[in-house]
Amino acid sequence: MSTPTITRISTSLFVIGVALVIAGCTQVLPERVVVADSSTTTSVAEPTGGGEASGEMPSTEAVAAGMTVFDETCAVCHTIGDGPLVGPDLAGIASLRGTAWLTGWITDPEAFAAVDADAAEIFTGAMPAPDLDAGRIDEVVAYLDSTADGAPPTAAPAGPRELSASEFDEASSVYFNRCAGCHGTLRVGATGPNIEPERTLEIGTAGLTTILTNGLPGGMPAWGEAGILTPEEIELMANFVQLEPPTPPPLDLTEITESWNLVVPVVDRPTEPQTTRDWENYTGIILRDAGQVAIMDTDAHEKVAIIDTGFAVHILRSSATGRYFIAVGRDGRVTMIDLWTEVPEIVAQVQGCFDARSVDGSKFEGYEDQYIIEGCYWPPQYVVFDGQTLEPLVVHDVLSPDINGEELNEVRVAAIVASHFDPVWVMGLKESGYVGIVDYSQPDFPMIKKIPADLFLHDGGWDHTGRYFITAANAQNKLMVVDVKTQELVAGVETGDTPHPGRGANWIDPEFGWVYATTHIGEGKLTLIGADPEGSPEYAWQVVREVDLPGTGSLFLKTHPNSPWVWMDTPLSNEIEESHQACVYSKEKMALETCFPVADHGRVVHFEYDRAGDEVWVSVWDPDGEIVIYDDATLTEKLRIAGPWLITPTGKFNVFNTANDIY
Ligand code: DHE
């Protein structure tokens, strides 16, 4: 029998699914017996039973087949007698609902809810129609019917098998590369839910295998279906996540210093640019899966260099002067690239963390290019390096209880921004919910302030003045606003389902003055908040405009002071066409201008302007990647760059715009 798959879900189901899974909610069954009116159900499915539990013994074969289908498909969200998971415990469900009702519901909950009052009452959109034919549905219903007395013949979910040392190591590495970003190194959850053994043992090996293969509505990727994990790897991971997680090792200053490689000492570097190209208008492109960064001459649209930065490089930041690009990889490696040489080259490398996402330089006057900070996902620490050589200077632990006093074993450093007005870096501390301020004018680079904000801080950037740091507490559906001048939290604004601003976008709205904006992963929506507490205090830090987007799963938006538009992506949409599109909002019309396909393959992700703000670069994130360049005035395609070297392009960073925080 082929493995049934969970059907790709519609936009609305996805949205509700995200909320359900992230919040760990469960759907609750009403406590009453309902006898379905079969006349209202026949348009959805041909029920096989009556309006209540059949009372007849289903055939043993049908029950056995139904149990297999249940384990492979339904056990992802339901148990029979073991308590609720994502969905309710189905013990005794056939007595409660009847087989005809169950057939209608399982066939297509949304369609059934449209014709059945009781179904409408419990329908939340969380349950997708399973990809099962009528025969399989009959078998599942027969199985549920056999458990109608609440004494199911099923055993508890099968637990994990023992793993050999090499299997455990392999699984740890797959977990680190694929799972830790969302579920946390210690599996306590953040963007994804908690998957410690207490929870995974409830789901069992069969359920976990199904989840890993087919994904979940809340945004869990379909690793198997997408061909990213093999069936053998899925079997391994389904067992591994039921075992106690390994405690990853610490990384101290001595070990970090041992990893330091000063490739080109400062005395051997040019004292002025050796290239005639406009290096301040270079664009660095992350080639994610190649572990490389492409440096492009933005004026000439030419590739200048390909730099090997190491595993799964995540972002680039420019030093304050723009001379150096600093890359950070998922493996915690920081790479410094000199743009003044004729061909850009690596001048220093160091590994400050085992797992990292953020890096930035010192930008305050008098401190330009003096220091670099790296924020770690693991260990829970930040590391400060010399800004010319990457010599490690200090490591500081960020582990602490969260803003509610809960003890934690893991606190990841999320977004870091460098102030242009004070000698400080500002960082989101994901699990603890604090915004930390690090003073680099003091000898030991201490964290001088921890401002309680909200849980699971993720990405963010500056407002248009550079005074306010705005960061997503994305599991709380909020943007948190911190005044870095007074070092206080000034607002928490609910914007929508799982905001993901990247660094965000700032512009003047004709009605509301300066605004800051975000799109969302969980719903198709652009949200603008007022961001001018001095000029328009009546709108400050409130939602002033919401614009529907055709597609969920947005990760990034971008604008430029010289552009009339705001560009937005939807790469994580489950609708394939939407993952290929770019959408454009008109600042002047205060409305969505257009959405159009950028490519017929890959996921279209992230935007960057050139220095002048007259063209926009878009990535097609695919092994056969492309960069598509648009004329920003006319929104017409200017050029499509492709080639075997363009492997999985994701983020793009213009030197001038990145050094000056233009977004
Ligand atoms: Fe990112 C920024 C974390 C997945 C591409 N990403 C960030 C930042 C954080 C972060 C904390 C902010 C850095 C800063 O400003 O200092 N990203 C994470 C994750 O934890 C997550 C969800 C899962 C993971 O395992 O990494 C994740 N990110 C992704 C992707 O899948 C993307 C699309 C491709 C990839 O490289 O894996 C991706 N993240 C980016 C990009 C930025 C980013 C391009 C910078 C945006 C900008 O304009 O500055």
Side-chain angles (χ1 to χ4, degrees):
M1 189 182 87
S2 66
T3 306
T5 54
I6 292 176
T7 319
R8 287 275 169 229
I9 48 173
S10 72
T11 296
S12 60
L13 293 180
F14 177 84
V15 171
I16 296 162
V18 166
L20 265 174
V21 173
I22 287 178
C25 294
T26 53
Q27 194 180 346
V28 180
L29 289 172
E31 288 176 14
R32 64 201 166 87
V33 176
V34 179
V35 178
D37 172 358
S38 57
S39 67
T40 61
T41 63
T42 44
S43 64
V44 177
E46 288 296 336
T48 53
E52 47 194 6
S54 68
E56 293 164 18
M57 283 296 289
S59 79
T60 319
E61 293 75 26
V63 171
M67 185 158 50
T68 306
V69 178
F70 184 91
D71 282 348
E72 289 175 346
T73 306
C74 319
V76 172
C77 296
H78 300 283
T79 72
I80 296 182
D82 285 331
L85 287 178
V86 178
D89 183 340
L90 299 181
I93 187 68
S95 307
L96 187 70
R97 292 291 181 196
T99 49
W101 192 96
L102 284 174
T103 304
W105 172 263
I106 295 171
T107 303
D108 186 343
E110 189 170 14
F112 192 53
V115 296
D116 182 281
D118 297 301
E121 207 174 293
I122 61 162
F123 179 73
T124 64
M127 174 159 153
D131 191 12
L132 297 176
D133 62 26
R136 292 277 176 271
I137 289 173
D138 284 352
E139 287 165 358
V140 176
V141 171
Y143 170 60
L144 292 173
D145 195 20
S146 77
T147 71
D149 59 0
T154 181
R161 66 175 175 86
E162 261 184 41
L163 300 187
S164 68
S166 67
E167 284 178 322
F168 196 84
D169 286 351
E170 187 194 337
S172 303
S173 154
V174 173
Y175 183 86
F176 169 72
N177 294 334
R178 302 289 179 196
C179 321
C182 290
H183 296 286
T185 308
L186 301 177
R187 307 193 200 147
V188 294
T191 305
N194 179 310
I195 52 163
E196 289 176 289
E198 200 183 330
R199 166 127 177 94
T200 48
L201 285 165
E202 280 176 358
I203 303 173
T205 311
L208 290 164
T209 303
T210 310
I211 294 174
L212 285 158
T213 306
N214 299 317
L216 274 177
M220 166 84 182
W223 296 112
E225 226 181 66
I228 297 169
L229 295 183
T230 62
E232 293 73 31
E233 285 171 321
I234 285 179
E235 190 274 337
L236 184 63
M237 297 312 293
N239 286 284
F240 174 75
V241 295
Q242 295 175 77
L243 303 172
E244 283 300 322
T247 306
L251 188 62
D252 64 21
L253 190 61
T254 310
E255 290 164 301
I256 296 170
T257 306
E258 279 165 14
S259 75
W260 175 43
N261 181 10
L262 180 59
V263 182
V264 183
V266 178
V267 288
D268 296 334
R269 296 182 201 165
T271 50
E272 57 186 36
Q274 302 297 296
T275 174
T276 52
R277 296 177 188 267
D278 180 4
W279 60 273
E280 281 186 285
N281 196 26
Y282 279 171
T283 298
I285 304 172
I286 303 283
L287 303 176
R288 186 192 182 283
D289 291 356
Q292 295 176 325
V293 170
I295 313 284
M296 307 291 294
D297 178 333
T298 308
D299 299 315
H301 299 143
E302 271 173 15
K303 170 164 56 92
V304 187
I306 296 274
I307 309 280
D308 285 314
T309 48
F311 174 72
V313 57
H314 204 76
I315 64 165
L316 283 174
R317 293 293 183 238
S318 291
S319 67
T321 62
R323 172 178 180 169
Y324 297 109
F325 259 144
I326 313 146
V328 66
R330 235 164 249 256
D331 57 1
R333 189 180 306 273
V334 176
T335 303
M336 183 180 233
I337 303 163
D338 189 356
L339 303 180
W340 277 12
T341 41
E342 198 179 339
V343 177
E345 61 183 41
I346 294 180
V347 290
Q349 255 187 343
V350 68
Q351 188 186 18
C353 323
F354 289 120
D355 190 6
R357 300 290 182 282
S358 51
V359 74
D360 213 342
S362 51
K363 292 188 174 173
F364 183 55
E365 201 182 336
Y367 290 86
E368 295 94 337
D369 295 9
Q370 271 198 26
Y371 302 117
I372 287 166
I373 186 169
E374 178 182 23
C376 301
Y377 262 23
W378 188 268
Q381 62 194 25
Y382 67 87
V383 188
V384 180
F385 307 100
D386 180 280
Q388 297 286 318
T389 64
L390 285 185
E391 180 184 0
L393 302 177
V394 80
V395 178
H396 280 298
D397 193 349
V398 295
L399 198 61
S400 78
D402 72 15
I403 52 171
N404 304 312
E406 286 290 320
E407 290 295 333
L408 298 170
N409 294 322
E410 179 175 18
V411 172
R412 290 179 280 176
V413 178
I416 300 182
V417 288
S419 170
H420 295 260
F421 301 109
D422 290 297
V424 299
W425 290 297
V426 187
M427 62 174 70
L429 298 168
K430 194 185 281 279
E431 283 77 8
S432 66
Y434 287 99
V435 170
I437 300 188
V438 173
D439 185 346
Y440 53 73
S441 70
Q442 296 193 38
D444 194 39
F445 311 95
M447 185 173 289
I448 52 164
K449 184 93 180 188
K450 276 172 63 183
I451 302 160
D454 217 330
L455 294 189
F456 304 134
L457 301 176
H458 189 64
D459 49 355
W462 292 111
D463 76 313
H464 75 284
T465 65
R467 171 173 171 170
Y468 297 93
F469 172 52
I470 304 173
T471 182
N474 58 17
Q476 307 293 334
N477 302 327
K478 283 182 188 166
L479 288 179
M480 309 308 297
V481 185
V482 166
D483 182 344
V484 176
K485 191 170 169 190
T486 61
Q487 302 188 350
E488 284 167 351
L489 180 76
V490 293
V493 192
E494 276 199 39
T495 63
D497 192 339
T498 323
H500 195 283
R503 282 170 292 171
N506 293 289
W507 72 93
I508 298 177
D509 180 272
E511 239 178 278
F512 301 111
W514 277 104
V515 290
Y516 177 92
T518 185
T519 48
H520 299 81
I521 296 179
E523 65 181 303
K525 185 168 74 171
L526 166 72
T527 300
L528 282 55
I529 63 169
D532 189 4
E534 283 175 17
S536 306
E538 67 276 32
Y539 305 126
W541 318 131
Q542 294 172 40
V543 173
V544 293
R545 205 180 285 290
E546 295 180 303
V547 181
D548 284 343
L549 294 182
T552 60
S554 178
L555 291 181
F556 300 108
L557 77 172
K558 185 63 66 74
T559 190
H560 186 282
N562 298 339
S563 170
W565 315 116
V566 182
W567 290 71
M568 299 164 284
D569 63 15
T570 51
L572 299 188
S573 170
N574 278 334
E575 303 295 335
I576 199 77
E577 283 84 21
E578 289 169 1
S579 71
H580 297 330
Q581 75 185 353
C583 291
V584 179
Y585 171 84
S586 162
K587 297 177 187 175
E588 192 191 324
K589 293 181 198 155
M590 297 167 277
L592 190 66
E593 177 76 12
T594 178
C595 293
F596 53 87
V598 172
D600 59 5
H601 62 107
R603 293 183 186 272
V604 168
V605 70
H606 199 255
F607 308 94
E608 181 58 301
Y609 285 83
D610 62 337
R611 175 181 176 160
D614 51 25
E615 65 183 33
V616 173
W617 292 37
V618 187
S619 302
V620 180
W621 177 9
D622 193 71
D624 297 318
E626 291 181 83
I627 295 291
V628 187
I629 302 177
Y630 289 92
D631 180 314
D632 191 58
T634 58
L635 301 180
T636 51
E637 186 179 318
K638 270 175 110 167
L639 184 68
R640 201 166 271 262
I641 303 175
W645 56 276
L646 251 176
I647 301 162
T648 56
T650 52
K652 298 158 299 302
F653 304 87
N654 178 274
V655 170
F656 184 85
N657 294 345
T658 309
N660 293 288
D661 286 285
I662 293 170
Y663 38 82

